[in-house]
Amino acid sequence: VRKFVRQDFLRQHHDISGPVLSVLGTVYGVFLALVASNTWGYYERTSANIVQEARDVQTLYANATAFPEPFRSEIRQLWAEYRDVIVTKEWPDLARGEGNPRIEPVLRRISDAYAGHQISTPTEGTFFGESVKKLDEIKNLRATRFEDAVSSLPGIVWLVLVAGAFILVTFCYLFGARSYPIHTVMTLMLTAMIALICYTTLILDFPFVGPAA
């Protein structure tokens, strides 16, 4: 800008460019904060669901103690298989936005095992009812986990973030500061801050890929 426009000419318009930059910065800052906050909220929800799913599997494995043999060993083996497939197969697939087809047969076998079991004591019935509830919860949590893996911020949101950052940073060069090095440093600091927030938002938007996985 300074190669084509004189500093004194830019300073003559500071009374206009100053308020305009303030409005631009406020609007973009609010929008950026809203996007980053919502993305962080979705990331926290995804993390909480994953932890809850793991706890439910652990609880169901432990609850099998109340069941007689051979159902106890059968159900524990099925839950161990479910855990292993999630960790070794489906988790890497989530990074590509895909589920693993080996999970569905395991869940069907688990459901069939519970459906075919005959309750013999009241205590067993209590544990059985709780286990069926946990099984339904795991199915819902897995469906939610898959939705979180394939969903992301709409493209228009990223367009506004990138275009807004470009406009805001470019507008900073419409000021005729006396010290060009200081002006450059301040502009670079603003650019770095925006870039860091956008990068963090991008990482959190894909919870199964990259550093946040």
Side-chain angles (χ1 to χ4, degrees):
V1 175
R2 294 196 176 195
K3 292 182 179 179
F4 303 99
V5 184
R6 301 189 312 273
Q7 287 190 25
D8 56 348
F9 178 80
L10 294 175
R11 293 195 186 100
Q12 292 175 9
H13 299 83
H14 279 185
D15 57 336
I16 299 176
S17 56
V20 171
L21 179 62
S22 178
V23 172
L24 285 175
T26 301
V27 172
Y28 184 78
V30 170
F31 182 78
L32 182 60
L34 180 63
V35 172
S37 176
N38 286 340
T39 305
W40 174 258
Y42 285 127
Y43 178 81
E44 286 288 295
R45 186 198 66 182
T46 300
S47 299
N49 288 341
I50 293 172
V51 171
Q52 186 60 49
E53 183 180 3
R55 288 175 177 171
D56 286 347
V57 172
Q58 183 180 16
T59 299
L60 287 168
Y61 189 90
N63 284 353
T65 304
F67 303 137
E69 293 289 358
F71 180 70
R72 178 194 306 167
S73 298
E74 177 188 4
I75 205 66
R76 281 186 166 178
Q77 181 179 358
L78 287 171
W79 282 121
E81 182 179 354
Y82 177 84
R83 177 202 60 202
D84 293 341
V85 174
I86 288 290
V87 173
T88 61
K89 302 296 182 182
E90 187 165 66
W91 195 268
D93 291 339
L94 290 174
R96 300 187 294 271
E98 303 173 356
N100 191 280
R102 293 182 57 183
I103 286 293
E104 293 299 335
V106 176
L107 283 176
R108 282 197 299 268
R109 285 156 53 198
I110 293 174
S111 298
D112 293 341
Y114 279 110
H117 180 63
Q118 297 294 326
I119 300 173
S120 57
T121 65
T123 301
E124 183 183 347
T126 301
F127 278 92
F128 185 85
E130 182 65 22
S131 296
V132 172
K133 291 180 182 179
K134 291 291 185 182
L135 173 60
D136 291 336
E137 182 175 321
I138 284 177
K139 292 179 179 179
N140 293 330
L141 289 172
R142 178 179 178 269
T144 302
R145 174 162 50 82
F146 179 73
E147 292 174 1
D148 293 339
V150 300
S151 63
S152 61
L153 288 174
I156 185 63
V157 174
W158 285 112
L159 177 62
V160 173
L161 286 176
V162 174
F166 176 79
I167 293 173
L168 185 60
V169 172
T170 302
F171 202 90
C172 291
Y173 285 99
L174 298 181
F175 283 84
R178 287 185 173 85
S179 175
Y180 178 73
I182 293 179
H183 189 187
T184 301
V185 169
M186 290 189 296
T187 304
L188 289 176
M189 292 174 64
L190 174 63
T191 304
M193 182 185 68
I194 295 175
L196 285 173
I197 297 176
C198 288
Y199 175 74
T200 302
T201 302
L202 177 64
I203 293 299
L204 297 179
D205 193 31
F206 297 95
F208 299 98
V209 183

